[in-house]
């Protein structure tokens, strides 16, 4: 077909300059395909410049096309007369009469010609934007310059040239993850705190690399002077700092590691500070309703306000939106949301110990988030309670509900997710009873190390994964404490419950054992086989090339650890295939905990601590995982993901 397939980028401002091609709104797959199939292929890092020059030579018009030379100071119309592909520069001449737009200065035709003469009429290809042409003859030239410009602005790093992994595919190792991260940030799929941390690390690493390069260039190779020796020591220190920054960048750039480990960067954020108790010492009941009837008010007084909040310390305040009510709360306040559909445009942060309860059934009290943001509901209060509310999420990056710290108790709530589900951060405590959660494109519930999570009688379904338990390579991370009783986890795309953990160092390394309270010890080997030991011996000789003695630590798994017995009735007998996942989850959690304890002891020995305090090393978990049902999950009831 004749004619251009690209859009026109209309000029904003000085109309004397012609329009250019609109190329900076390309989709992810368009850039991915261009770099993989045409520009870079399977080149090594050292071959990037040669492959790029070869690509440009094939697709760029060699001469006789007009472009805007765009800098921070001016945009000027020039004509390209030749291209130096290896140097990534074009030889240009000024189009007369002068067509130019300046920022903060005045330029004449004579001054511009003088500037071009100083640069030998050569300008970087990245600074050229092709003038729009409807014929389509310059589409490939415009796209090639866009790919070049984007690559050196967002993908290439100054230190890539010195990459020690030069034997590996540069596209797979660097281009693809950095490109994916750029679009994840562009499409608001990365928490704002993590984005800020990434760009901060990038700036610090660039500065450190420049300092290191200047120092290295100033050291003479054959000099043995004291000054050069000091500089070499300083250079080594700077190199180690730069490598540490590069490792952190790689964690955020890698999609998997960003998902598994990147939480540590952003886990301490808190949207607002707690107000504490009111100075007057009173408490407020915040009633939320857009409009209400007399009969609703009578019912509210008779069923809720009268019996529970008739004391002199309580006052009543009315609000039209849940967000306004929560924002007005102090320690100990109560928010009562009357039936209705409430739309909120920003996150709901709960920093104080308050109670939010719907006055009616969850389907009658609906709070829906319309705009994008890091999270929908964020709880950091010491003791927060939410009940009888339905939350509908749209475009929340960090989940429909994030318990960053403190304790949150949820009861009889409905959570309709669109992106991520409930997140329980390190040191946070979630109690979730009789709730219904569905629709998450990730895990329905994400449980982080060191957290406490109790789930009783919930339904978790139609998510990518049901429950995701995160374990990390750092041996100082403690295992989460988990109670799962009588939940129904069904119709999830992947596993009902999945444990994310690091790959073991050695396949011959055994996991530690547990005491199950049945007069037997069990040693769980990496392939999950179980060897029964006599309780009096506490160790087993494993036959092979030699004899291996395994000390058996005590890790208690209490199937009755719920403070109050959970009673429920069932009108039918659940088939065993729907409940067999309970034992598999318990065994894997205990085995992983024992493994981490062993690594901790080994680490302390390396540091010279020969007598470690058992309290410091304790990985005891209360785990009550029983009577959960797993139905129609795509990959089964339980699985592990090694990274």
């Amino acid at each position: 077909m004749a004619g251009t397939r690209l859009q026109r980028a209309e000029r904003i401002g000085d109309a004397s300059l012609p329009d250019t091609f609109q190329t900076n709104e390309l989709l992810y797959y368009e850039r991915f395909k261009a770099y993989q199939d045409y520009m870079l292929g399977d080149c090594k890092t050292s071959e990037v410049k040669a492959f790029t020059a070869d690509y440009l030579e094939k697709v760029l018009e060699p001469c006789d096309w007009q472009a805007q030379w765009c800098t921070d100071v001016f945009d000027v119309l020039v004509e390209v007369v030749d291209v130096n592909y290896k140097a990534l520069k074009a030889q240009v001449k000024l189009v007369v009469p002068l067509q130019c737009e300046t920022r903060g200065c005045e330029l004449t035709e004579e001054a511009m010609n003088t500037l071009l003469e100083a640069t030998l009429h050569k300008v970087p290809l990245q600074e050229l934007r092709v003038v729009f042409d409807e014929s389509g003859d310059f589409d490939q030239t415009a796209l090639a310059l866009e790919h070049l410009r984007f690559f050196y602005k967002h993908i290439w790093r100054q230190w890539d040239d010195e990459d020690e992994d030069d034997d590996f595919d540069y596209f797979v190792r660097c281009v693809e993850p950095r490109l994916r991260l750029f679009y994840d940030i562009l499409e608001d799929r990365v928490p704002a705190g993590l984005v800020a941390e990434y760009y901060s690390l990038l700036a610090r690493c660039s500065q450190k690399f420049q300092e290191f390069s200047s120092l290295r260039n100033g050291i003479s190779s054959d000099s043995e002077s004291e000054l050069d020796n000091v500089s070499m020591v300083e250079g080594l220190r700077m190199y180690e700092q730069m490598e540490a920054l590069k490792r952190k960048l790689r964690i955020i750039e890698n999609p998997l590691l960003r998902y598994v480990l990147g939480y540590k960067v952003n886990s301490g954020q808190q949207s607002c500070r707690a107000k504490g108790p009111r100075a007057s010492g009173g408490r407020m009941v915040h009633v939320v309703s857009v409009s209400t009837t007399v009969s609703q008010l009578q019912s509210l007084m008779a069923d809720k306000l009268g019996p529970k909040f008739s004391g002199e310390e309580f006052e009543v305040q009315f609000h039209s939106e849940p967000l306004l009510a929560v924002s007005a709360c102090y320690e100990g306040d109560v928010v009562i949301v009357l039936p209705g559909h409430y739309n909120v445009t920003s996150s709901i942060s709960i920093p104080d110990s308050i109670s939010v309860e719907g006055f009616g059934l969850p389907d009658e009290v609906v709070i829906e988030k319309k705009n994008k943001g890091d999270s929908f509901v964020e709880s950091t209060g010491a003791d927060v309670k939410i009940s009888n509310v339905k939350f509908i999420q749209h475009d929340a990056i960090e989940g429909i509900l994030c318990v960053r710290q403190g304790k949150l108790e949820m009861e009889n709530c409905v959570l309709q997710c669109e992106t991520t589900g409930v997140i329980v951060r390190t040191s946070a405590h979630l109690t979730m009873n009789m709730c219904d959660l569905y629709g998450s494109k990730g895990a329905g519930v994400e449980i982080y190390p060191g957290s406490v999570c109790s789930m009783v009688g919930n339904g978790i379904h139609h998510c990518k994964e049901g429950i995701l338990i995160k374990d990390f390579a750092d041996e100082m991370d403690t295992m989460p404490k988990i109670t799962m009783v009588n939940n129904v986890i069904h119709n999830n795309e992947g596993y009902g419950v999945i444990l994310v953990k690091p790959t073991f160092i050695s396949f011959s390394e055994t996991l530690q054992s547990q005491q199950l309270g049945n007069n037997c010890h069990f040693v769980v080997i990496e392939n999950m086989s179980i060897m029964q030991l006599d309780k009096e011996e506490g160790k087993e000789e494993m036959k092979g090339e030699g004899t291996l003695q395994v000390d058996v630590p005590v890790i208690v798994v209490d199937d009755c650890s719920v403070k109050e017995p959970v009673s429920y009735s069932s009108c039918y007998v659940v088939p065993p295939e729907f409940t067999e996942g309970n034992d598999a989850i318990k065994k894997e959690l205990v085995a992983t905990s024992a493994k981490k304890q062993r690594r901790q002891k080994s680490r302390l020995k390396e540091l010279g601590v020969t007598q470690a305090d058992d309290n410091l090393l304790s990985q005891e978990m209360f785990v009550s995982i029983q009577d959960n049902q797993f139905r129609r999950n795509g990959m089964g009831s339980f699985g592990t993901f090694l990274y």
Side-chain angles (χ1 to χ4, degrees):
M1 293 177 60
T4 180
R5 297 187 179 185
L6 300 179
Q7 298 295 319
R8 179 195 297 265
E10 295 184 0
R11 184 76 186 178
I12 300 176
D14 192 342
S16 63
L17 284 169
D19 295 336
T20 57
F21 285 99
Q22 176 65 270
T23 57
N24 60 357
E25 296 183 355
L26 298 179
L27 300 175
Y28 166 79
Y29 81 90
E30 293 177 297
R31 297 193 193 275
F32 182 96
K33 183 176 180 64
Y35 293 134
Q36 184 184 51
D37 295 349
Y38 304 113
M39 183 169 166
L40 299 173
D42 58 354
C43 72
K44 303 174 184 177
T45 308
S46 58
E47 300 171 333
V48 166
K49 291 182 179 179
F51 272 61
T52 301
D54 184 59
Y55 162 72
L56 293 175
E57 189 172 1
K58 292 177 180 177
V59 298
L60 233 61
E61 290 293 330
C63 59
D64 300 330
W65 48 277
Q66 290 187 347
Q68 289 182 21
W69 178 22
C70 301
T71 69
D72 294 334
V73 179
F74 59 81
D75 296 345
V76 62
L77 186 63
V78 296
E79 182 178 341
V80 175
V81 297
D82 193 18
V83 177
N84 186 336
Y85 302 102
K86 291 184 178 180
L88 302 181
K89 289 189 176 183
Q91 186 174 344
V92 302
K93 66 179 181 180
L94 193 64
V95 173
V96 292
L98 177 67
Q99 299 181 48
C100 180
E101 180 179 316
T102 60
R103 288 173 282 276
C105 67
E106 293 293 334
L107 281 177
T108 63
E109 184 176 322
E110 182 180 358
M112 185 57 66
N113 278 318
T114 302
L115 177 60
L116 285 173
E117 288 175 3
T119 62
L120 301 177
H121 289 265
K122 295 179 180 179
V123 300
L125 286 172
Q126 302 171 48
E127 297 179 0
L128 295 179
R129 296 185 180 275
V130 182
V131 170
F132 183 78
D133 187 286
E134 294 182 349
S135 68
D137 294 339
F138 300 102
D139 283 15
Q140 292 302 316
T141 298
L143 285 172
L145 292 183
E146 170 61 28
H147 293 315
L148 178 70
R149 184 165 43 248
F150 183 91
F151 175 76
Y152 279 102
K153 183 177 181 180
H154 299 291
I155 305 297
W156 180 257
R157 308 285 183 249
Q158 303 173 66
W159 50 86
D160 284 353
D161 262 336
E162 303 180 3
D163 200 333
E164 295 178 356
D165 296 329
D166 190 46
D167 291 336
F168 297 95
D169 189 333
Y170 178 73
F171 176 84
V172 173
R173 195 163 38 85
C174 297
V175 178
E176 184 177 1
R178 291 172 185 171
L179 183 64
R180 180 71 270 173
L181 175 62
F182 175 85
Y183 276 89
D184 282 347
I185 293 173
L186 184 67
E187 296 165 8
D188 294 325
R189 288 197 293 266
V190 182
L194 193 58
V195 174
E197 180 68 15
Y198 176 72
Y199 286 123
S200 174
L201 286 170
L202 199 58
R204 287 160 55 195
C205 196
S206 297
Q207 181 182 0
K208 191 65 65 177
F209 179 77
Q210 292 173 0
E211 294 174 358
F212 174 75
S213 299
S214 299
L215 181 66
R216 180 178 55 186
N217 294 336
I219 299 177
S220 176
S221 59
D222 56 353
S223 173
E224 296 182 359
S225 67
E226 182 177 349
L227 182 61
D228 279 345
N229 289 337
V230 172
S231 297
M232 290 181 66
V233 173
E234 177 67 13
L236 287 173
R237 185 183 66 83
M238 293 173 62
Y239 178 80
E240 291 176 355
Q241 293 174 346
M242 188 172 64
E243 288 299 309
L245 292 171
K246 287 161 64 175
R247 281 194 295 271
K248 292 179 180 179
L249 285 171
R250 283 194 293 269
I251 286 177
I252 302 177
E253 289 168 352
N254 184 289
L256 175 59
L257 296 181
R258 178 166 72 248
Y259 178 67
V260 174
L261 301 177
Y263 86 100
K264 293 186 175 181
V265 176
N266 203 36
S267 60
Q269 287 193 337
Q270 186 172 340
S271 297
C272 54
R273 295 182 178 180
K275 298 177 182 177
R278 277 186 173 78
S280 62
R283 296 168 63 189
M284 188 76 69
V285 178
H286 303 266
V287 178
V288 181
S289 177
V290 177
S291 63
T292 184
T293 64
V294 174
S295 61
Q296 279 184 327
L297 283 177
Q298 289 175 338
S299 178
L300 178 66
M301 287 295 300
D303 298 341
K304 184 68 66 173
L305 297 181
K308 294 185 177 181
F309 306 108
S310 58
E312 294 183 358
E313 74 273 18
F314 287 102
E315 296 181 12
V316 178
Q317 193 173 77
F318 288 87
H319 303 269
S320 60
E321 297 180 4
L323 185 59
L324 296 175
V326 173
S327 300
C329 283
Y330 284 77
E331 190 84 13
D333 284 3
V334 176
V335 178
I336 299 176
V337 187
L338 296 186
H341 194 118
Y342 303 89
N343 293 320
V344 298
T345 57
S346 58
S347 299
I348 300 175
S349 296
I350 308 178
D352 288 286
S353 296
I354 66 171
S355 174
V356 180
E357 50 187 285
F359 186 62
L361 299 174
D363 286 335
E364 298 173 341
V365 184
V366 180
I367 303 177
E368 181 174 0
K369 186 173 187 295
K370 291 295 187 179
N371 293 6
K372 292 184 178 181
D374 282 357
S375 59
F376 183 1
V377 180
E378 184 176 288
S379 176
T380 55
D383 190 6
V384 179
K385 296 181 180 178
I386 302 177
S387 60
N388 304 326
V389 179
K390 179 177 182 178
F391 295 98
I392 301 177
Q393 168 212 50
H394 299 287
D395 296 320
I397 301 169
E398 285 201 335
I400 192 168
L401 189 147
C402 181
V403 190
R404 290 201 179 278
Q405 60 189 48
K407 181 179 179 180
L408 172 65
E409 180 179 341
M410 295 193 70
E411 185 171 341
N412 196 33
C413 290
V414 176
L415 304 168
Q416 180 180 320
C417 311
E418 187 177 273
T419 49
T420 311
V422 174
I423 299 175
V424 191
R425 296 291 193 187
T426 300
S427 300
H429 188 156
L430 171 68
T431 299
M432 184 174 169
N433 298 335
M434 306 303 294
C435 295
D436 188 37
L437 187 154
Y438 58 92
S440 172
K441 294 179 181 177
V445 180
E446 293 183 11
I447 304 173
Y448 281 86
S451 63
V452 179
C453 189
S454 173
M455 293 180 289
V456 178
N458 302 286
I460 301 173
H461 55 98
H462 294 92
C463 303
K464 184 174 182 181
E465 309 285 352
I467 299 172
L468 186 146
I469 304 170
K470 294 191 175 183
D471 179 34
F472 298 99
D474 186 354
E475 59 268 19
M476 293 306 169
D477 280 332
T478 58
M479 290 290 291
K481 297 181 179 180
I482 302 171
T483 299
M484 287 175 54
V485 178
N486 198 29
N487 300 285
V488 181
I489 304 171
H490 65 95
N491 289 99
N492 296 291
E493 182 181 338
Y495 291 101
V497 177
I498 185 169
L499 176 67
V500 178
K501 64 179 183 177
T503 306
F504 297 139
I505 296 174
S506 169
F507 286 104
S508 63
E509 187 176 6
T510 59
L511 294 175
Q512 298 295 326
S513 67
Q514 54 165 326
Q515 184 180 16
L516 294 177
N518 58 354
N519 296 327
C520 292
H521 282 296
F522 288 84
V523 174
V524 186
I525 310 303
E526 285 183 357
N527 61 6
M528 294 305 294
S529 64
I530 300 178
M531 301 178 62
Q532 190 174 20
L533 306 179
D534 185 86
K535 182 176 181 180
E536 295 179 358
E537 294 179 2
K539 61 181 65 177
E540 170 73 0
E541 293 185 355
M542 300 177 64
K543 297 181 181 180
E545 296 180 359
T547 299
L548 175 64
Q549 293 184 341
V550 181
D551 294 329
V552 180
V554 176
I555 299 178
V556 178
V557 179
D558 183 7
D559 279 345
C560 301
S561 59
V562 183
K563 293 182 179 179
E564 297 181 0
V566 179
S567 61
Y568 60 94
S569 60
S570 177
C571 61
Y572 59 92
V573 177
V574 180
E577 61 266 23
F578 293 149
T579 60
E580 61 184 5
N582 293 283
D583 291 336
I585 297 169
K586 284 188 286 190
K587 291 173 184 176
E588 181 66 21
L589 288 175
V590 169
T592 301
S593 179
K595 171 71 175 180
K596 291 171 74 70
Q597 185 182 60
R598 180 177 177 181
R599 292 185 64 187
Q600 284 182 333
K601 290 182 178 180
S602 176
R603 178 68 179 271
L604 290 174
K605 287 181 180 179
E606 292 175 1
L607 297 174
V609 181
T610 56
Q611 294 182 348
D613 186 353
D614 288 338
N615 291 328
L616 294 176
L617 291 175
S618 176
Q619 289 287 343
E620 279 193 12
M621 300 180 297
F622 72 85
V623 178
S624 179
I625 299 179
Q626 59 182 350
D627 300 315
N628 300 288
Q629 298 181 39
F630 301 90
R631 299 169 180 262
R632 297 183 296 277
N633 295 294
M635 300 182 70
S637 58
F638 177 71
T640 58
F641 180 84
L642 303 179
Y643 65 91

